[in-house]
């Protein structure tokens, strides 16, 4: 049986609008999601036994059943017991480069890589739609992490509509190493502060969805209008995360001061800015470093990419 090494890309949210709260505790969203080439590597090696083993060198990543990667492998074993019995368990190693608890879907993309990798290793022949369905059982961002590229996402985030690829952007990412934001906290706080008094009727929801499908950011992407894409970046969760974490707000303001479109990704606390060249991205990174000389602040330059999960090698 073969071993696989997979590349699992991070994502950023170019647009995140919260439409309404749902009885199941989740929220209906409208998002534009974009894969970037900041990526982890996931190695899958067959084990002779029926166990799932997990290793990661990052101190904040759990190496047991709490990790979404472990849950992904356990889900595959549960759904495909014959393959699990025939091929046996798996040894999974995560080489972490995507920051943890950052709003960049690091855990989701690792889980997506395990679904894709076990589909190959166990010769299941599942198609992308089937893998995305399995991903939706693990987390709202996992289906996108399987699909990758540039997507409009609705529902919890699991219903995906491909948008024309945007290839020309570089991304500067900034995150305080010691800071992470609970996604559940961000959504629940938003629900209490902004959704309770704001009872949306069906026509308002319909209008809101219509606005997204035919909306400005989608048409800016369709027309590849890069200036407009930058102007239309939006994230509703900034309304609760920025007031609680002034240092994240400060980052956002610093990007703006440098003339970049700056926005928080997902539930944060990573803030990103878009640039048109790698050189410009590097200049922005150096300027932010100079303006905020905090040893706890990590910065990266990344690039938009069309793919999310790729097989790097198999043997
Ligand atoms: O789906 P996932 O496990 O990644 O979501 C983490 C948390 O984020 C959920 O428990 C929920 O509180 C919140 N969430 C939400 N609405 C969504 C996606 C996530 O409220 N559409």
């Amino acid at each position: 049986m073969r071993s696989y090494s997979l590349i699992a890309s991070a994502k950023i949210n170019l647009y995140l609008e919260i439409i309404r709260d749902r009885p199941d505790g989740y929220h209906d969203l409208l998002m534009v999601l974009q894969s970037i080439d900041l990526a982890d590597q996931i190695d899958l090696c067959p084990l002779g036994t029926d166990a799932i083993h997990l290793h990661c060198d990052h101190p904040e990543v759990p190496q047991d059943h709490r990790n979404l990667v472990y849950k992904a492998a356990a889900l595959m074993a549960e759904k495909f017991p014959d393959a699990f019995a025939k091929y046996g368990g798996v040894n999974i190693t995560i080489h972490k480069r995507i920051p943890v608890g950052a709003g960049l879907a690091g855990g989701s993309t690792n889980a997506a890589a395990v679904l894709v990798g076990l589909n190959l290793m166990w010769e299941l022949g599942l198609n992308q739609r089937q893998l995305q369905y399995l991903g939706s059982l693990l987390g709202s961002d996992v289906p996108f992490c399987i699909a990758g590229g540039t997507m409009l996402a609705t529902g919890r985030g699991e219903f995906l509509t491909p948008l024309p690829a945007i290839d020309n952007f570089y991304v500067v990412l900034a995150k305080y190493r010691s800071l992470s934001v609970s996604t559940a906290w961000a959504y629940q706080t938003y629900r209490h502060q902004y959704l309770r008094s704001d009872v949306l009727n069906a026509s308002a929801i319909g209008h809101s969805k219509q606005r997204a499908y035919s909306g400005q950011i989608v048409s800016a992407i369709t027309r590849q209008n890069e200036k407009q894409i930058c102007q239309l970046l939006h994230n509703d969760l900034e309304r609760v995360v920025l007031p609680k974490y002034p240092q994240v707000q400060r980052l956002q303001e610093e990007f703006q001061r440098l003339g970049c479109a700056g926005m928080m990704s997902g539930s944060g606390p990573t803030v990103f800015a878009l640039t048109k060249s790698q050189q410009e991205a590097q200049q922005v990174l150096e300027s932010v470093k100079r303006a905020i000389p905090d040893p706890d602040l990590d910065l990266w330059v990344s690039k938009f990419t069309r793919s999310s999960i790729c097989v790097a090698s198999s043997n």
Side-chain angles (χ1 to χ4, degrees):
M1 211 190 333
R2 296 172 89 87
S3 294
Y4 288 88
S5 244
L6 298 112
I7 302 299
S9 295
K11 64 91 182 133
I12 55 171
N13 298 74
L14 300 179
Y15 188 89
L16 190 162
E17 181 180 345
I18 301 174
I19 304 300
R20 62 167 169 175
D21 54 347
R22 306 181 355 166
D24 63 4
Y26 282 85
H27 296 79
D28 277 330
L29 306 175
L30 285 166
M31 297 188 285
V32 176
L33 299 166
Q34 174 65 51
S35 300
I36 57 173
D37 69 0
L38 178 66
D40 292 337
Q41 184 184 319
I42 309 292
D43 297 336
L44 303 181
C45 296
L47 269 182
T49 67
D50 65 352
I52 297 165
H53 288 168
L54 183 54
H55 311 272
C56 182
D57 48 10
H58 194 294
E60 285 160 48
V61 175
Q63 299 190 50
D64 55 23
H65 63 277
R66 291 169 297 164
N67 193 310
L68 206 55
V69 154
Y70 188 98
K71 290 178 186 168
L75 177 71
M76 292 296 267
E78 181 203 318
K79 295 283 181 193
F80 304 100
D82 293 346
F84 187 48
K86 180 174 167 195
Y87 293 105
V90 60
N91 197 40
I92 307 171
T93 307
I94 307 171
H95 304 277
K96 218 55 201 130
R97 292 188 202 103
I98 304 171
V100 175
L104 299 172
S108 300
T109 195
N110 293 174
V114 169
L115 298 182
V116 171
L118 287 182
N119 183 38
L120 295 169
M121 193 187 266
W122 293 352
E123 300 178 302
L124 296 170
L126 301 173
N127 62 30
Q128 183 165 308
R129 193 166 279 277
Q130 291 167 315
L131 287 170
Q132 284 175 206
Y133 168 72
L134 291 170
S136 74
L137 304 177
L138 295 166
S140 308
D141 284 338
V142 182
F144 170 75
C145 292
I146 289 165
T150 310
M151 293 271 169
L152 183 68
T154 57
R156 271 193 305 138
E158 78 276 42
F159 299 121
L160 302 171
T161 308
L163 295 174
I166 318 168
D167 290 325
N168 301 331
F169 279 117
Y170 285 82
V171 196
V172 185
L173 300 150
K175 179 186 178 283
Y176 287 96
R177 205 172 311 124
S178 61
L179 196 66
S180 62
V181 173
S182 152
T183 304
W185 168 84
Y187 278 105
Q188 293 315 315
T189 307
Y190 190 94
R191 175 185 287 230
H192 290 306
Q193 288 186 7
Y194 297 108
L195 293 179
R196 267 197 173 166
S197 55
D198 192 12
V199 183
L200 287 173
N201 60 33
S203 84
I205 292 164
H207 176 69
S208 197
K209 281 197 167 170
Q210 189 53 34
R211 198 152 38 87
Y213 281 113
S214 60
Q216 288 182 318
I217 188 141
V218 171
S219 74
I221 291 169
T222 307
R223 287 183 284 106
Q224 301 279 300
N225 187 328
E226 288 157 5
K227 192 171 164 210
Q228 266 194 356
I229 293 170
C230 290
Q231 286 165 347
L232 292 165
L233 298 176
H234 176 80
N235 184 342
D236 271 343
L237 289 174
E238 285 196 338
R239 291 169 83 185
V240 293
V241 177
L242 296 190
K244 181 156 162 93
Y245 299 101
Q247 62 273 55
V248 181
Q249 169 108 43
R250 164 93 174 82
L251 272 176
Q252 163 85 284
E253 285 163 3
E254 189 55 35
F255 279 136
Q256 266 153 24
R257 201 182 64 76
L258 293 166
C260 305
M263 181 58 47
M264 193 178 78
S265 182
S267 56
T270 303
V271 175
F272 67 87
L274 304 183
T275 68
K276 292 304 311 299
S277 71
Q278 184 160 18
Q279 192 191 7
E280 194 190 338
Q282 204 57 45
Q283 282 166 0
V284 169
L285 182 149
E286 297 300 336
S287 301
V288 174
K289 238 189 213 170
R290 270 196 304 276
I292 310 176
D294 186 334
D296 193 40
L297 181 63
D298 283 331
L299 291 140
W300 301 260
V301 168
S302 183
K303 193 180 186 312
F304 282 19
T305 171
R306 291 184 183 205
S307 63
S308 180
I309 309 298
C310 301
V311 177
S313 64
S314 69
N315 48 56

